[in-house]
Short mmCIF file of all heavy atoms in Angstrom, two decimals:
data_model
loop_
_atom_site.label_atom_id
_atom_site.label_comp_id
_atom_site.label_asym_id
_atom_site.label_seq_id
_atom_site.Cartn_x
_atom_site.Cartn_y
_atom_site.Cartn_z
N PRO L 113 66.03 174.16 16.10
CA PRO L 113 67.16 173.63 16.87
C PRO L 113 67.06 173.92 18.37
O PRO L 113 67.62 173.18 19.18
CB PRO L 113 68.37 174.35 16.27
CG PRO L 113 67.93 174.69 14.88
CD PRO L 113 66.47 175.04 15.02
N TYR L 116 66.28 171.23 20.92
CA TYR L 116 66.18 169.90 20.31
C TYR L 116 67.27 169.00 20.87
O TYR L 116 68.47 169.29 20.71
CB TYR L 116 66.29 170.02 18.79
CG TYR L 116 66.18 168.69 18.07
CD1 TYR L 116 64.96 168.06 17.92
CD2 TYR L 116 67.31 168.07 17.55
CE1 TYR L 116 64.85 166.85 17.25
CE2 TYR L 116 67.22 166.85 16.88
CZ TYR L 116 65.98 166.24 16.75
OH TYR L 116 65.89 165.04 16.10
N PHE L 119 70.03 170.87 22.34
CA PHE L 119 70.83 171.86 21.60
C PHE L 119 70.49 173.25 22.15
O PHE L 119 69.32 173.60 22.28
CB PHE L 119 70.54 171.77 20.10
CG PHE L 119 71.51 172.57 19.25
CD1 PHE L 119 72.74 172.04 18.91
CD2 PHE L 119 71.18 173.84 18.80
CE1 PHE L 119 73.64 172.76 18.13
CE2 PHE L 119 72.07 174.58 18.02
CZ PHE L 119 73.31 174.04 17.69
N CYS L 124 72.39 176.33 13.64
CA CYS L 124 73.73 175.74 13.69
C CYS L 124 74.66 176.59 12.81
O CYS L 124 74.29 176.95 11.69
CB CYS L 124 73.72 174.30 13.17
SG CYS L 124 72.68 173.18 14.14
N HIS L 133 76.44 171.03 12.96
CA HIS L 133 75.95 171.16 14.34
C HIS L 133 76.84 172.02 15.22
O HIS L 133 76.85 171.86 16.44
CB HIS L 133 75.74 169.78 14.99
CG HIS L 133 74.80 168.90 14.23
ND1 HIS L 133 74.69 167.55 14.41
CD2 HIS L 133 73.91 169.19 13.23
CE1 HIS L 133 73.80 167.03 13.59
NE2 HIS L 133 73.30 168.03 12.85
N ASP L 150 72.75 176.76 9.19
CA ASP L 150 71.70 175.75 9.00
C ASP L 150 70.46 176.19 9.77
O ASP L 150 70.42 176.13 11.00
CB ASP L 150 72.21 174.39 9.48
CG ASP L 150 71.28 173.25 9.10
OD1 ASP L 150 70.12 173.51 8.69
OD2 ASP L 150 71.71 172.09 9.22
N THR L 152 66.45 175.89 10.62
CA THR L 152 65.21 175.10 10.58
C THR L 152 64.15 175.86 11.37
O THR L 152 64.43 176.34 12.48
CB THR L 152 65.40 173.70 11.19
OG1 THR L 152 66.59 173.11 10.68
CG2 THR L 152 64.20 172.80 10.86
N ASP L 161 63.83 172.93 6.63
CA ASP L 161 65.24 172.76 7.03
C ASP L 161 66.13 173.06 5.82
O ASP L 161 66.02 172.38 4.79
CB ASP L 161 65.39 171.30 7.50
CG ASP L 161 66.73 170.97 8.13
OD1 ASP L 161 67.55 171.87 8.31
OD2 ASP L 161 66.91 169.78 8.46
N HIS L 224 67.35 163.31 5.83
CA HIS L 224 66.34 162.69 6.70
C HIS L 224 64.93 163.10 6.27
O HIS L 224 64.74 164.20 5.73
CB HIS L 224 66.57 163.14 8.15
CG HIS L 224 66.69 164.64 8.30
ND1 HIS L 224 65.61 165.44 8.59
CD2 HIS L 224 67.76 165.48 8.15
CE1 HIS L 224 66.02 166.71 8.64
NE2 HIS L 224 67.31 166.77 8.36
N PHE L 230 60.95 166.79 13.05
CA PHE L 230 62.20 167.39 12.59
C PHE L 230 63.01 166.32 11.85
O PHE L 230 63.52 166.55 10.75
CB PHE L 230 62.97 167.92 13.82
CG PHE L 230 64.12 168.85 13.55
CD1 PHE L 230 64.74 169.51 14.62
CD2 PHE L 230 64.60 169.11 12.26
CE1 PHE L 230 65.81 170.37 14.41
CE2 PHE L 230 65.67 169.97 12.05
CZ PHE L 230 66.27 170.59 13.14
N HIS L 231 63.13 165.15 12.46
CA HIS L 231 63.84 164.03 11.83
C HIS L 231 62.93 162.82 11.90
O HIS L 231 62.73 162.25 12.98
CB HIS L 231 65.17 163.74 12.54
CG HIS L 231 66.14 164.88 12.44
ND1 HIS L 231 66.35 165.78 13.46
CD2 HIS L 231 66.94 165.29 11.42
CE1 HIS L 231 67.25 166.67 13.07
NE2 HIS L 231 67.62 166.40 11.84
N GLU L 257 71.41 166.88 2.22
CA GLU L 257 72.31 167.84 2.87
C GLU L 257 73.75 167.36 2.89
O GLU L 257 74.34 167.18 3.96
CB GLU L 257 71.81 168.16 4.28
CG GLU L 257 71.42 166.94 5.13
CD GLU L 257 70.87 167.35 6.50
OE1 GLU L 257 71.62 167.95 7.28
OE2 GLU L 257 69.69 167.06 6.77
N TRP L 274 78.00 167.95 20.36
CA TRP L 274 77.33 168.40 19.14
C TRP L 274 78.30 168.66 17.98
O TRP L 274 78.07 168.24 16.87
CB TRP L 274 76.54 169.71 19.40
CG TRP L 274 75.26 169.45 20.09
CD1 TRP L 274 74.98 169.71 21.41
CD2 TRP L 274 74.07 168.89 19.54
NE1 TRP L 274 73.70 169.34 21.70
CE2 TRP L 274 73.11 168.83 20.57
CE3 TRP L 274 73.72 168.42 18.27
CZ2 TRP L 274 71.83 168.32 20.36
CZ3 TRP L 274 72.44 167.91 18.06
CH2 TRP L 274 71.51 167.87 19.11
N GLU L 288 71.94 172.34 2.05
CA GLU L 288 70.75 171.55 2.37
C GLU L 288 69.49 172.19 1.82
O GLU L 288 69.32 173.40 1.90
CB GLU L 288 70.61 171.42 3.90
CG GLU L 288 69.34 170.70 4.34
CD GLU L 288 69.26 170.47 5.84
OE1 GLU L 288 69.83 171.28 6.61
OE2 GLU L 288 68.61 169.50 6.25
N1 MF3 F 1 69.32 171.25 10.85
C1 MF3 F 1 70.07 170.05 11.16
C2 MF3 F 1 69.77 169.05 10.07
O1 MF3 F 1 69.95 169.40 8.94
C3 MF3 F 1 69.75 169.47 12.49
C4 MF3 F 1 70.20 170.32 13.60
S1 MF3 F 1 69.79 169.54 15.06
C5 MF3 F 1 70.37 170.63 16.17
O2 MF3 F 1 69.30 167.98 10.25
F1 MF3 F 1 69.92 170.26 17.30
F2 MF3 F 1 71.69 170.62 16.11
F3 MF3 F 1 69.95 171.82 15.87
#
Side-chain angles (χ1 to χ4, degrees):
Y116 180 75
F119 191 82
C124 298
H133 303 164
D150 190 347
T152 314
D161 187 5
H224 51 93
F230 193 171
H231 296 101
E257 47 183 296
W274 282 106
E288 176 175 29

